[in-house]
């Protein structure tokens, strides 16, 4: 995939808390940071990156266009505001954060505006987030699958989102998993805990390794240095086919993120 497999999420982190998280993560070796316009933390993220001393080209920055900015006239201007906050001339990846509620702005209109933003050098890659199979097809029809770097979706052992994953794979669109640890609920699961014990690993490492072995990118967040460091080690944990099969059995359509008025009609 053209996007890093392992990155740092910043959802719900603001001000000094997010700045410290990003600074610590970069010091530990993270080189991908995921933010969004609606997180209200692009400024603090930009400060942490600027103060890290790491060359800009070594850090992969993702941001997401909020629903109020999805029209052709607003995408590029809002992205320029994001770039200003992030203290950079470009981001590596720009996503539609959520599809426009009730289709107020068509997928095609926003995707074509993102292609233009890419042509202008404001973003190196473009993609989508929280898109169903039908919405992914709209995006493909608008700009072609080759333009779509990833679909960032809620995906955990409890919500494996197989229909979306299969469709994305048919079109060579990478999957980025968010909420991979299911707000920490996956860390308490007996199967996950047992596998972790067998490997001398943490439950978080097991869940992240599971997602990575399935070929997904992951963006876990943490404010604690120990957890940030530990999560990184998931990249070297190798789960057995039996481990993977056991985790596959945990599917229960356990969706945690479905904001009223914002969420599309999910695939079954």
């Amino acid at each position: 995939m053209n996007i890093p497999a392992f990155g740092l999420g910043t959802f719900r982190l603001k001000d000094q808390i997010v700045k410290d998280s990003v600074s610590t993560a970069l010091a530990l070796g993270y080189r991908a940071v995921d933010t969004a316009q609606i997180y209200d933390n692009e400024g603090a993220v930009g400060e942490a990156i600027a103060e890290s001393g790491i060359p800009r080209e070594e850090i992969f920055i993702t941001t997401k266009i909020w629903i109020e900015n999805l029209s052709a006239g607003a995408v590029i201007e809002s992205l320029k505001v994001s770039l200003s906050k992030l203290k950079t001339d470009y981001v590596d990846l720009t996503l539609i954060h959520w599809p426009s509620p009730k289709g107020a702005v068509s997928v095609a209109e926003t995707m074509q505006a993102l292609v233009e933003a890419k042509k202008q050098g404001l973003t190196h890659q473009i993609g989508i987030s929280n898109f169903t199979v039908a919405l992914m097809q709209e995006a493909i029809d608008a700009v072609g699958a080759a333009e779509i770097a990833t679909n960032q979706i809620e995906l955990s052992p409890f919500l494996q989102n197989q229909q979306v994953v299969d469709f994305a794979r048919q079109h060579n669109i990478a999957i980025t998993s968010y909420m991979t640890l299911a707000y920490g609920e996956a860390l308490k699961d007996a199967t996950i805990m047992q596998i972790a014990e067998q490997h001398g690993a943490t439950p978080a490492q097991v869940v992240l390794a599971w997602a990575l072995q399935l070929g997904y990118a992951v963006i876990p967040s943490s404010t604690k240095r120990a957890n940030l460091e530990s999560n990184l080690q998931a990249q070297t944990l190798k789960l057995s086919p039996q481990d993977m099969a056991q985790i596959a059995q945990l599917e229960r359509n356990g969706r945690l993120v479905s904001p009223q008025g914002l969420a599309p009609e999910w695939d079954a």
Side-chain angles (χ1 to χ4, degrees):
M1 65 174 73
N2 295 321
I3 56 175
F6 204 96
L8 177 74
T10 63
F11 176 54
R12 290 188 165 177
L13 306 182
K14 290 189 182 181
D15 305 322
Q16 194 61 43
I17 291 171
V18 75
K19 191 174 176 183
D20 290 346
S21 175
V22 174
S23 297
T24 302
L26 292 173
L28 289 169
Y30 285 74
R31 289 297 179 268
V33 181
D34 180 279
T35 182
Q37 293 175 343
I38 197 65
Y39 294 175
D40 193 26
N41 65 12
E42 289 172 315
V45 168
E47 286 176 16
I49 290 170
E51 292 170 15
S52 72
I54 298 165
R56 167 67 187 92
E57 61 271 16
E58 292 181 18
I59 301 175
F60 190 101
I61 303 174
T62 300
T63 196
K64 311 180 200 79
I65 306 291
W66 187 238
I67 57 170
E68 293 167 2
N69 301 324
L70 293 177
S71 67
V75 167
I76 287 175
E77 289 312 306
S78 78
L79 183 53
K80 286 177 178 176
V81 172
S82 290
L83 296 181
S84 175
K85 290 177 180 176
L86 287 162
K87 297 174 175 53
T88 183
D89 296 330
Y90 69 94
V91 284
D92 299 272
L93 177 62
T94 304
L95 308 179
I96 297 176
H97 200 157
W98 287 88
S100 183
K102 298 181 179 175
V105 180
S106 72
V107 171
E109 179 176 337
T110 309
M111 291 304 298
Q112 286 157 6
L114 284 173
V115 168
E116 179 57 31
K118 186 176 168 182
K119 284 178 184 169
Q120 292 184 23
L122 305 176
T123 184
H124 287 176
Q125 298 183 73
I126 62 173
I128 52 183
S129 181
N130 298 301
F131 269 43
T132 60
V133 169
L135 289 163
M136 290 176 73
Q137 186 64 60
E138 286 187 46
I140 291 166
D141 290 345
V143 299
E147 282 284 4
I148 305 168
T150 191
N151 186 8
Q152 184 179 126
I153 56 172
E154 181 184 351
L155 193 151
S156 76
F158 306 144
L159 179 75
Q160 296 178 28
N161 232 323
Q162 204 61 50
Q163 285 187 41
V164 170
V165 168
D166 291 345
F167 185 84
R169 286 199 164 138
Q170 286 168 22
H171 296 277
N172 293 315
I173 296 169
I175 291 290
T176 301
S177 162
Y178 76 79
M179 213 62 70
T180 318
L181 306 179
Y183 278 137
E185 286 303 307
L187 311 185
K188 307 170 193 171
D189 180 83
T191 299
I192 301 288
M193 291 169 72
Q194 182 184 20
I195 294 170
E197 193 173 338
Q198 288 169 354
H199 286 274
T202 67
Q205 287 168 351
V206 168
V207 176
L208 295 170
W210 164 78
L212 290 166
Q213 278 181 227
L214 288 172
Y216 310 143
V218 295
I219 46 171
S221 65
S222 181
T223 57
K224 297 177 181 174
R225 183 185 181 92
N227 290 345
L228 288 166
E229 191 166 15
S230 175
N231 288 348
L232 266 183
Q233 293 164 23
Q235 296 173 97
T236 55
L237 175 60
K238 293 290 178 270
L239 301 179
S240 70
Q242 184 183 6
D243 296 333
M244 297 295 286
Q246 282 185 283
I247 297 173
Q249 295 298 314
L250 299 178
E251 166 65 53
R252 61 187 190 212
N253 197 27
R255 188 178 299 280
L256 298 173
V257 182
S258 189
Q260 193 170 1
L262 192 59
E265 191 172 324
W266 301 115
D267 299 292

